[in-house]
Coordinates of all heavy atoms in Angstrom, one line a residue:
G260 N -10.8 7.1 0.0 CA -12.0 8.0 0.2 C -12.9 7.6 1.3 O -14.0 8.0 1.3
A261 N -12.4 6.8 2.3 CA -13.3 6.3 3.3 C -12.5 6.1 4.6 O -12.4 5.1 5.2 CB -13.9 5.0 2.9
L262 N -11.9 7.2 5.1 CA -11.2 7.2 6.3 C -12.0 7.9 7.4 O -12.4 9.0 7.3 CB -9.8 7.9 6.2 CG -9.0 8.1 7.5 CD1 -8.5 6.8 8.0 CD2 -7.9 9.1 7.4
A263 N -12.3 7.1 8.5 CA -13.0 7.7 9.6 C -12.0 8.6 10.3 O -11.2 8.1 11.1 CB -13.6 6.6 10.5
R264 N -12.1 9.9 10.2 CA -11.0 10.8 10.6 C -10.8 10.8 12.1 O -9.7 10.8 12.6 CB -11.2 12.2 10.0 CG -10.0 13.1 10.3 CD -10.2 14.4 9.5 NE -9.0 15.2 9.6 CZ -8.8 16.3 9.0 NH1 -9.7 16.7 8.1 NH2 -7.7 17.1 9.1
E265 N -11.9 11.0 12.8 CA -11.7 11.1 14.3 C -11.0 10.0 14.9 O -10.0 10.2 15.6 CB -13.1 11.4 14.9 CG -13.6 12.8 14.7 CD -14.2 13.0 13.3 OE1 -14.4 12.0 12.6 OE2 -14.5 14.1 12.9
P266 N -11.4 8.7 14.7 CA -10.7 7.6 15.3 C -9.5 7.2 14.5 O -8.6 6.4 14.9 CB -11.7 6.5 15.3 CG -12.6 6.8 14.1 CD -12.7 8.3 14.1
G267 N -9.3 7.8 13.2 CA -8.2 7.4 12.4 C -8.2 6.0 12.0 O -7.1 5.3 11.9
I268 N -9.3 5.5 11.6 CA -9.5 4.1 11.2 C -10.2 4.0 9.8 O -11.2 4.8 9.6 CB -10.4 3.3 12.2 CG1 -9.7 3.3 13.6 CG2 -10.6 1.8 11.8 CD1 -10.6 2.7 14.7
L269 N -9.7 3.2 8.9 CA -10.3 3.1 7.6 C -11.7 2.4 7.7 O -11.8 1.5 8.5 CB -9.4 2.5 6.6 CG -9.0 1.0 6.8 CD1 -10.0 0.0 6.3 CD2 -7.6 0.8 6.0
V270 N -12.6 2.8 6.9 CA -13.9 2.1 6.8 C -13.7 1.1 5.6 O -13.4 1.5 4.5 CB -15.0 3.0 6.5 CG1 -16.3 2.3 6.2 CG2 -15.2 4.0 7.7
N271 N -13.8 -0.2 5.9 CA -13.5 -1.2 4.9 C -14.4 -0.9 3.6 O -15.6 -0.9 3.7 CB -13.8 -2.6 5.4 CG -13.0 -2.9 6.6 OD1 -13.4 -2.6 7.7 ND2 -11.8 -3.5 6.4
Y272 N -13.7 -0.9 2.5 CA -14.4 -0.5 1.2 C -15.3 -1.7 0.7 O -16.1 -1.5 -0.2 CB -13.4 -0.1 0.2 CG -14.0 1.1 -0.6 CD1 -14.1 2.4 -0.1 CD2 -14.4 0.9 -2.0 CE1 -14.6 3.4 -0.8 CE2 -14.9 2.0 -2.7 CZ -15.0 3.2 -2.1 OH -15.5 4.3 -2.8
N273 N -15.1 -2.8 1.3 CA -16.0 -4.0 1.0 C -17.5 -3.6 1.2 O -18.4 -4.1 0.5 CB -15.7 -5.2 1.8 CG -14.3 -5.7 1.6 OD1 -13.4 -5.0 2.0 ND2 -14.2 -6.8 1.0
I274 N -17.7 -2.7 2.1 CA -19.1 -2.2 2.4 C -19.7 -1.6 1.2 O -20.8 -1.8 0.8 CB -19.1 -1.2 3.6 CG1 -18.7 -2.0 4.9 CG2 -20.5 -0.6 3.7 CD1 -18.5 -1.0 6.1
V275 N -18.8 -0.8 0.5 CA -19.3 -0.1 -0.7 C -19.3 -1.1 -1.9 O -20.3 -1.1 -2.7 CB -18.3 1.1 -1.1 CG1 -18.8 1.8 -2.4 CG2 -18.3 2.1 0.1
M276 N -18.3 -1.9 -2.0 CA -18.3 -2.9 -3.1 C -19.5 -3.9 -3.1 O -19.9 -4.3 -4.1 CB -17.0 -3.8 -2.9 CG -15.7 -3.0 -3.2 SD -14.2 -3.8 -2.6 CE -14.4 -5.4 -3.2
E277 N -20.0 -4.1 -1.9 CA -21.1 -5.0 -1.7 C -22.5 -4.3 -1.7 O -23.5 -5.0 -1.5 CB -21.0 -5.9 -0.5 CG -19.7 -6.8 -0.5 CD -19.4 -7.4 0.8 OE1 -20.3 -7.5 1.7 OE2 -18.3 -7.9 1.0
G278 N -22.5 -3.0 -2.0 CA -23.8 -2.4 -2.2 C -24.0 -1.0 -1.5 O -25.0 -0.4 -1.7
G279 N -23.0 -0.7 -0.6 CA -23.1 0.6 0.1 C -22.9 1.8 -0.9 O -22.3 1.6 -2.0
V280 N -23.2 3.0 -0.5 CA -23.0 4.2 -1.3 C -22.4 5.3 -0.4 O -22.3 5.1 0.8 CB -24.3 4.7 -1.9 CG1 -24.9 3.7 -2.9 CG2 -25.3 5.1 -0.9
Q281 N -22.0 6.3 -1.0 CA -21.5 7.5 -0.3 C -22.4 8.7 -0.6 O -22.7 9.0 -1.7 CB -20.0 7.8 -0.6 CG -19.0 6.9 0.0 CD -17.6 7.3 -0.2 OE1 -17.2 7.8 -1.2 NE2 -16.8 7.2 0.8
V282 N -22.7 9.5 0.5 CA -23.5 10.7 0.3 C -22.7 11.8 0.9 O -21.9 11.6 1.9 CB -24.9 10.6 0.9 CG1 -25.7 9.5 0.2 CG2 -24.8 10.4 2.4
N283 N -22.9 13.0 0.4 CA -22.2 14.2 1.0 C -23.1 14.9 2.1 O -24.2 14.3 2.5 CB -21.8 15.2 -0.1 CG -23.0 15.7 -0.9 OD1 -24.2 15.6 -0.5 ND2 -22.7 16.2 -2.1
A284 N -22.7 16.0 2.6 CA -23.4 16.7 3.6 C -24.8 17.2 3.2 O -25.6 17.6 4.0 CB -22.6 17.9 4.1
L285 N -25.0 17.2 1.8 CA -26.3 17.5 1.3 C -27.3 16.3 1.2 O -28.4 16.5 0.7 CB -26.2 18.2 -0.1 CG -25.3 19.5 -0.1 CD1 -25.1 20.0 -1.5 CD2 -25.8 20.5 0.9
G286 N -26.8 15.1 1.6 CA -27.6 13.9 1.5 C -27.6 13.3 0.1 O -28.5 12.5 -0.2
R287 N -26.7 13.7 -0.8 CA -26.7 13.2 -2.2 C -25.4 12.4 -2.5 O -24.4 12.8 -2.0 CB -26.8 14.4 -3.1 CG -28.1 15.2 -2.9 CD -28.0 16.5 -3.7 NE -29.2 17.4 -3.5 CZ -29.2 18.7 -3.6 NH1 -28.1 19.3 -4.0 NH2 -30.3 19.4 -3.4
R288 N -25.6 11.5 -3.4 CA -24.4 10.8 -3.9 C -23.7 11.8 -4.9 O -24.4 12.7 -5.4 CB -24.8 9.5 -4.7 CG -25.3 8.4 -3.8 CD -25.7 7.2 -4.6 NE -24.5 6.7 -5.4 CZ -24.6 6.4 -6.7 NH1 -25.7 6.6 -7.4 NH2 -23.6 5.9 -7.4
F289 N -22.4 11.6 -5.1 CA -21.7 12.5 -5.9 C -20.7 11.9 -6.9 O -19.9 12.5 -7.6 CB -20.9 13.5 -5.0 CG -20.1 12.7 -3.9 CD1 -18.8 12.3 -4.2 CD2 -20.6 12.5 -2.7 CE1 -18.0 11.7 -3.2 CE2 -19.9 11.8 -1.7 CZ -18.6 11.4 -2.0
S290 N -20.7 10.5 -6.9 CA -19.8 9.8 -7.8 C -20.1 8.4 -8.0 O -21.0 7.8 -7.3 CB -18.3 9.9 -7.2 OG -18.3 9.1 -6.0
N291 N -19.4 7.7 -8.9 CA -19.5 6.3 -9.0 C -18.4 5.8 -8.0 O -17.2 5.8 -8.3 CB -19.1 5.8 -10.5 CG -19.0 4.3 -10.6 OD1 -19.0 3.6 -9.6 ND2 -18.8 3.8 -11.8
E292 N -18.9 5.3 -6.9 CA -18.0 4.9 -5.8 C -17.1 3.7 -6.2 O -16.1 3.5 -5.5 CB -18.8 4.5 -4.6 CG -19.7 5.6 -4.1 CD -21.1 5.6 -4.6 OE1 -21.3 4.9 -5.7 OE2 -22.0 6.2 -4.0
L293 N -17.4 3.0 -7.2 CA -16.6 1.9 -7.6 C -15.7 2.1 -8.8 O -15.0 1.2 -9.3 CB -17.4 0.6 -7.9 CG -18.3 0.1 -6.8 CD1 -19.0 -1.1 -7.2 CD2 -17.5 -0.1 -5.5
E294 N -15.6 3.4 -9.2 CA -14.8 3.7 -10.4 C -13.3 3.7 -10.1 O -12.5 3.1 -10.9 CB -15.2 5.0 -11.0 CG -14.4 5.4 -12.2 CD -14.9 6.8 -12.8 OE1 -15.5 7.6 -12.0 OE2 -14.6 7.0 -14.0
D295 N -12.9 4.2 -9.0 CA -11.5 4.4 -8.7 C -11.3 4.5 -7.2 O -11.5 5.5 -6.6 CB -10.9 5.6 -9.4 CG -9.5 5.9 -9.2 OD1 -8.8 5.0 -8.5 OD2 -8.9 6.8 -9.7

Side-chain angles (χ1 to χ4, degrees):
L262 174 68
R264 185 169 186 174
E265 285 77 14
I268 300 172
L269 62 84
V270 176
N271 300 88
Y272 219 70
N273 299 70
I274 294 172
V275 179
M276 291 160 51
E277 295 171 16
V280 297
Q281 286 190 318
V282 299
N283 58 21
L285 303 177
R287 299 169 182 155
R288 288 180 61 230
F289 51 88
S290 68
N291 175 353
E292 300 92 342
L293 298 186
E294 183 178 20
D295 183 358

